[in-house]
Amino acid sequence: MRRRTLIASAGAIATVTKGIIMSESASAQTGDLDNTIYMEIKQGRVVIEMFPDIAPLHVERIKLLARRKFYDGTPFHRVIEGFMAQGGDPTGTGTGGSDLPDLKAEFTTKRHFLRGTCGMARTGNPDSANSQFFIMFRAGPASRRSVYDLGQVTQGMDLVDQIKRGSGGGGTVSDPDKIIHFQVAADVK
């Protein structure tokens, strides 16, 4: 299987001028707990608001895998300083995914990569998203086509900032931090 990756270069991120930075104290109370994810990492709880109006297939996939507990224990296998943290691969190699078929691309021009933007990782094939996702550390350029945005961190971005970084240009992480629990907020009792 081909390595899934955010289709943008880390070098391009360095050329971005000051971008919009989301507030660390943004409200987690979106009112739509069925489209909110609670991601527990060793640093604490990260809250992600999902965008079913922009990426309905990708949001449904994330929620389905969360309900299967697919993400629990998976590593952040690729983490590049000043760029993004990527996880959702049970093999930790960047080549793994779920047993479900890949998804058709759901690109949009309605949003931009902001600090805390969450999207699906894919190969060079636009229709190759499966289970891997990324969280942007700061604002950056859109992909070659447009943004494939499935959500936004609304609380806990300071915790995401503490995820262990990788080395080299690819950001491969040795002994990576892992997701403890990844749950749809509506399912949390």
Side-chain angles (χ1 to χ4, degrees):
M1 183 178 280
R2 293 174 48 201
R3 186 174 180 94
R4 295 171 197 278
T5 180
L6 169 59
I7 307 297
S9 73
I13 297 294
T15 64
V16 174
T17 58
K18 279 190 174 176
I20 299 169
I21 304 297
M22 65 161 259
S23 167
E24 296 294 346
S25 61
S27 173
Q29 301 303 319
T30 63
D32 186 1
L33 295 180
D34 194 50
N35 287 304
T36 301
I37 296 291
Y38 292 157
M39 180 176 72
E40 300 289 337
I41 56 179
K42 73 179 184 180
Q43 295 85 352
R45 176 179 280 178
V46 176
V47 179
I48 303 169
E49 177 186 355
M50 307 297 281
F51 300 143
D53 56 323
I54 293 175
L57 298 176
H58 291 74
V59 169
E60 281 305 312
R61 171 64 57 86
I62 292 286
K63 292 181 345 183
L64 173 65
L65 292 175
R67 289 181 165 130
R68 289 183 176 181
K69 301 189 183 315
F70 174 86
Y71 292 108
D72 293 4
T74 59
F76 284 99
H77 63 275
R78 182 172 182 246
V79 184
I80 300 173
E81 180 66 45
F83 186 30
M84 59 88 212
Q86 184 173 324
D89 174 3
T91 70
T93 64
T95 62
S98 75
D99 61 353
L100 300 171
D102 290 346
L103 294 169
K104 184 162 179 54
E106 294 179 303
F107 295 119
T108 184
T109 56
K110 294 178 183 177
R111 294 188 45 89
H112 304 282
F113 281 147
L114 306 175
R115 174 171 163 74
T117 292
C118 302
M120 296 294 280
R122 60 189 77 243
T123 67
N125 174 355
D127 299 330
S128 63
N130 186 284
S131 65
Q132 293 185 43
F133 66 94
F134 60 86
I135 302 172
M136 299 293 293
F137 288 126
R138 67 180 198 181
S143 73
R144 286 182 272 179
R145 292 166 188 83
S146 55
V147 178
Y148 33 94
D149 201 352
L150 82 110
Q152 178 74 39
V153 172
T154 59
Q155 193 172 56
M157 195 58 205
D158 58 324
L159 305 174
V160 173
D161 288 337
Q162 298 172 41
I163 294 172
K164 184 179 179 185
R165 301 307 200 260
S167 61
T172 302
V173 184
S174 174
D175 191 27
D177 287 344
K178 295 182 178 180
I179 296 170
I180 299 168
H181 296 296
F182 194 93
Q183 301 171 289
V184 176
D187 300 343
V188 176
K189 298 185 178 26

